[in-house]
Amino acid sequence: MTTFLRLIVLTCVVAFAVQRLPADNVPDLLLHDGLSLNGEWRSIIDPYETGFYDYRREQRDLNKNPSRAETFYLDVKPNDPSERVEYDFDTSPMLNVPGDWNTQRPELLYYEGSVWYRKTFDLEKLGDGQSAFVRFGAVNYRADVYLNGKKLGTHIGGFTPFCFDVTQFLKPGKNSLVVKVDNKRAKDAVPTVSTDWWNYGGITREVKIVTVPKKFIADHRLILDSETTHTISGWVQITGAGAGEPVEISIPELGEKISAATDASGRAAFHFKPEKLQLWSPVTPKLYEVRIACGGDKVAERIGFRTVRTSGKEILLNGKSVFLRGICIHEEFPLAGGGRVNTAEKAKQLLLWAKELGCNFVRLAHYPHNEAMTRLADELGIMVWSEVPVYWTIDWTNAATYENAQSQLGDNIQRDANRASIIIWSLANETPVSEARTKFLTQLAERARSLDQTRLLSAAMEKHSLPGAENVSVVQDPLADVVDIVAFNQYTGWYDGLPEKCAKISWQIPYDKPVFVSEFGGDARQGLHGSKDQRWTEEFQADLYEKTLPMLGKIDGLVGFTPWILVDFRSPRRVLPGIQDGFNRKGLISSEGTKKKAFAILQAYYQKRAAAERTQ
Ligand code: GCU
């Protein structure tokens, strides 16, 4: 079919192949260029929230009490020498953005509370019909955001992006953006008060001001419908447009140029069938530049096309059975002062260590990692398990907690829906089985499926021993009936007996679904050597891996595993002097970036598996 004729056909085609997603009005402006606000921000540590509450613990409200003295978000100076103003951003210390505050100043390492950030910026006067947004890659945990003394909004959730419209509050010349960041843990939060990772607070990912025309590209999806027919379906969401707005989607390398038109909701659906398409896979991580244009707005990104589904006890990538040679990763970097990953280079180093280990898969624990991580996984050919921090003892009966979890899940899916690397959305980790918990997670699973039917759902569940038969490990969880992959964490040989127990274990996992081991491992202080019976030595950890791998090999339907964990990471729970010193030491790489003996054990196992797969 000639391109011209194709254009005519496609213009009038309304694709029903793609599930119409809720027209989420919150744009994800990741792909739009803008004014970066990364760099040094002024900061005020405010443990008593003086800038937010008055001495009667009433939120400061200028309509009730026009006092400027301690209303930090006003960012004012005294009008005259007699005026009492008890803060001054201009002479307050700096914090770097993006980045956690804990690793920037020694006094903030354990700090949990509020810190005020202030950035000033100039912005050219907006053109006719233009609007402007401030986009945060992530802020942990609660952000109250103000521009020029006016409240823009509040965002809750520490690992997903959000935007606020700043159009009406911008002014010519200097603008003052103030953010109150509060990382205090709470029973009704997601995650809740207890985790096994450091509660890094701050503006931990990039910030930018994005200017867009009246009608702009707010979101888009491209989906490979079939690995055999190579038909691709998709949609583009235009904010500010009604029906009939022309949208152009082009993939130059494929010689594709598709014209579509928005419907009344501003959504332009399309589908097409490229003549030649190379599918994305870990072996051939092929990405295509996809360009989208609508009126004066345009975006572009590199997208890989692949399918993933289960068939009985197998996971099929592009119709072929795949084994997930994985590792768990926290979003924390061991070198350069440690802390949250805040550059693409640090993200890449973690993934390169995973590649060196022989991985084709990573579990990004226990929350959505930064957008660079999943884009690099696309480029490097590493499949991804992406997770929301519904971790341990969540407040299952609290409606606001559910809304929070659902919002984080939706934002994660919206941000990364076009990432070929992500094959699994994970709903939870090690959540205690109860009726309320299973109801909460079943609803979350339904939400995930309503947003994305192209990926698999899972959650890290737990196993237990058969009563009276402690060497029979059983996975029996009502959530296993809901998800696509039965995944569970197991620590035989570390928390449950010693490594020699592994040889005695048999399995009962009564589901006709793929089975995945989402965690196993043990601590070792890098450089501590001794007999393999001496806990905390590298030899003990290596022996645990040697004995665990054949034990897992006995699992019927095993499709892979992600040992816990690539790199040692900070945790306030880990206090053993000289061994842990505030770090969880289950890494195969130490907090100084040095590989431990167990790294080579797992690497050899993965290399052998990969070699065997190449001969198939
Ligand atoms: C749990 C949990 C991890 C934790 C690990 C450990 O399975 O999922 O977040 O760090 O075990 O105890 O080291």
Side-chain angles (χ1 to χ4, degrees):
M1 181 187 294
T2 64
T3 303
F4 178 71
L5 182 58
R6 178 199 301 269
L7 289 184
I8 293 174
V9 168
L10 285 172
T11 306
C12 56
V13 165
V14 177
F16 293 94
V18 177
Q19 171 75 24
R20 294 180 74 81
L21 297 167
D24 191 332
N25 294 323
V26 177
D28 179 0
L29 299 169
L30 171 64
L31 300 179
H32 283 77
D33 295 331
L35 171 67
S36 171
L37 299 185
N38 294 346
E40 291 188 317
W41 291 47
R42 293 288 180 179
S43 63
I44 298 172
I45 305 172
D46 187 10
Y48 291 8
E49 301 180 277
T50 305
F52 200 68
Y53 296 106
D54 64 22
Y55 79 123
R56 294 296 185 230
R57 203 68 184 165
E58 296 275 332
Q59 260 198 48
R60 295 188 183 286
D61 177 347
L62 296 178
N63 298 319
K64 288 182 192 163
N65 172 357
S67 159
R68 303 178 349 135
E70 294 134 312
T71 307
F72 295 178
Y73 60 78
L74 292 178
D75 185 14
V76 295
K77 314 281 266 187
N79 282 330
D80 62 60
S82 69
E83 184 182 6
R84 178 177 68 89
V85 175
E86 291 200 27
Y87 67 94
D88 178 7
F89 277 114
D90 290 338
T91 55
S92 294
M94 296 287 194
L95 278 174
N96 288 318
V97 169
D100 61 81
W101 63 56
N102 310 73
T103 56
Q104 292 194 50
R105 287 191 220 148
E107 71 274 21
L108 292 178
L109 181 60
Y110 279 87
Y111 181 68
E112 292 183 298
S114 287
V115 173
W116 293 83
Y117 286 75
R118 193 286 312 270
K119 186 76 173 179
T120 59
F121 63 92
D122 289 0
L123 194 72
E124 284 176 24
K125 190 173 177 337
L126 296 183
D128 286 348
Q130 279 194 321
S131 48
F133 292 84
V134 59
R135 181 187 190 273
F136 294 85
V139 175
N140 191 46
Y141 169 79
R142 173 185 166 124
D144 289 282
V145 185
Y146 305 83
L147 182 68
N148 299 324
K150 301 285 191 273
K151 181 76 175 277
L152 297 179
T154 297
H155 181 268
I156 289 177
F159 304 97
T160 45
F162 58 97
C163 297
F164 290 123
D165 190 334
V166 298
T167 311
Q168 59 179 323
F169 299 126
L170 281 172
K171 61 183 188 181
K174 190 173 95 167
N175 290 272
S176 165
L177 179 66
V178 174
V179 185
K180 174 181 181 286
V181 180
D182 182 353
N183 76 331
K184 281 194 298 297
R185 289 165 293 121
K187 176 180 179 301
D188 63 352
V190 179
T192 182
V193 290
S194 183
T195 69
D196 189 20
W197 70 80
W198 209 265
N199 180 26
Y200 289 111
I203 303 178
T204 51
R205 295 182 192 157
E206 303 199 341
V207 187
K208 63 182 177 182
I209 301 285
V210 176
T211 304
V212 291
K214 185 173 182 307
K215 299 169 189 171
F216 64 90
I217 301 159
D219 202 356
H220 60 280
R221 288 286 302 278
L222 281 89
I223 295 165
L224 178 66
D225 297 320
S226 154
E227 70 274 357
T228 50
T229 65
H230 287 186
T231 50
I232 294 173
S233 299
W235 53 266
V236 177
Q237 182 67 43
I238 305 295
T239 294
E245 194 68 34
V247 177
E248 185 178 272
I249 303 96
S250 57
I251 307 179
E253 189 178 342
L254 292 176
E256 290 293 345
K257 186 173 282 195
I258 295 101
S259 291
T262 53
D263 61 18
S265 73
R267 183 154 297 192
F270 57 88
H271 68 248
F272 63 99
K273 184 177 180 321
E275 302 287 325
K276 56 183 179 355
L277 182 71
Q278 186 175 355
L279 301 185
W280 184 94
S281 75
V283 177
T284 57
K286 177 65 181 170
L287 300 176
Y288 291 92
E289 179 168 331
V290 175
R291 298 174 186 166
I292 300 172
C294 175
D297 197 26
K298 59 184 175 27
V299 296
E301 67 168 333
R302 288 162 55 79
I303 292 180
F305 297 99
R306 55 103 188 95
T307 61
V308 65
R309 59 181 177 275
T310 61
S311 170
K313 287 181 171 287
E314 292 186 306
I315 294 179
L316 304 182
L317 184 78
N318 298 328
K320 293 186 192 128
S321 182
V322 67
F323 187 87
L324 307 177
R325 306 189 304 271
I327 192 73
C328 289
I329 299 179
H330 258 304
E331 191 188 24
E332 178 168 323
F333 194 69
L335 308 174
R340 278 278 169 259
V341 170
N342 62 347
T343 66
E345 292 71 26
K346 292 175 182 177
K348 186 165 188 176
Q349 179 57 72
L350 291 174
L351 291 176
L352 289 177
W353 276 328
K355 290 282 273 190
E356 186 183 348
L357 186 57
C359 297
N360 63 357
F361 184 77
V362 290
R363 177 183 176 203
L364 301 184
H366 284 292
Y367 37 75
H369 288 209
N370 62 76
E371 46 254 342
M373 199 70 168
T374 48
R375 277 165 166 67
L376 286 163
D378 279 4
E379 300 281 349
L380 294 170
I382 300 175
M383 295 176 282
V384 169
W385 161 306
S386 180
E387 185 163 301
V388 285
V390 177
Y391 182 97
W392 289 357
T393 55
I394 292 288
D395 193 1
W396 305 112
T397 57
N398 184 319
T401 302
Y402 176 78
E403 283 305 313
N404 181 346
Q406 179 174 274
S407 172
Q408 292 190 45
L409 174 81
D411 291 346
N412 189 29
I413 292 175
Q414 179 185 37
R415 187 195 77 179
D416 278 353
N418 290 310
R419 303 282 65 79
S421 53
I422 299 177
I423 61 168
I424 295 169
W425 299 121
S426 169
L427 304 171
N429 180 74
E430 291 193 350
T431 52
V433 177
S434 73
E435 193 179 329
R437 163 269 199 180
T438 305
K439 179 170 179 273
F440 184 108
L441 293 179
T442 300
Q443 197 178 346
L444 205 58
E446 288 162 3
R447 175 67 177 168
R449 291 199 169 105
S450 74
L451 293 174
D452 183 5
Q453 303 84 33
T454 68
R455 290 179 173 88
L456 305 174
L457 287 188
S458 192
M461 293 172 272
E462 294 182 292
K463 62 108 182 166
H464 60 273
S465 297
L466 207 55
E470 73 150 83
N471 292 334
V472 179
S473 289
V474 179
V475 179
Q476 191 94 42
D477 185 326
L479 188 59
D481 295 319
V482 175
V483 296
D484 299 308
I485 300 169
V486 177
F488 65 98
N489 299 344
Q490 72 84 36
Y491 281 93
T492 303
W494 182 260
Y495 293 119
D496 170 11
L498 292 172
E500 66 261 17
K501 180 172 181 180
C502 293
K504 301 170 190 162
I505 294 293
S506 61
W507 298 96
Q508 277 188 13
I509 307 173
Y511 301 97
D512 183 25
K513 296 182 177 180
V515 178
F516 182 81
V517 179
S518 34
E519 286 182 36
F520 71 82
D523 287 61
R525 185 69 171 98
Q526 187 278 325
L528 179 63
H529 296 287
S531 87
K532 63 180 174 55
D533 301 320
Q534 184 185 339
R535 197 177 284 262
W536 310 110
T537 61
E538 288 195 40
E539 286 70 22
F540 186 103
Q541 185 190 46
D543 182 53
L544 176 58
Y545 271 69
E546 294 270 19
K547 291 186 166 68
T548 299
L549 294 170
M551 172 184 71
L552 301 188
K554 293 177 191 166
I555 295 174
D556 176 31
L558 182 72
V559 292
F561 44 75
T562 42
W564 190 261
I565 186 169
L566 180 67
V567 186
D568 292 352
F569 60 95
R570 284 188 186 280
S571 169
R573 307 169 68 86
R574 310 298 177 170
V575 297
L576 182 59
I579 299 286
Q580 296 176 321
D581 298 321
F583 282 83
N584 181 311
R585 297 290 184 194
K586 293 187 182 69
L588 296 176
I589 298 174
S590 74
S591 46
E592 294 77 33
T594 305
K595 295 183 182 70
K596 304 173 191 176
K597 281 189 162 190
F599 184 98
I601 306 291
L602 184 62
Q603 183 184 48
Y605 177 89
Y606 280 165
Q607 284 170 344
K608 194 172 165 198
R609 275 211 78 109
E613 286 164 12
R614 281 193 292 273
T615 58
Q616 282 166 1

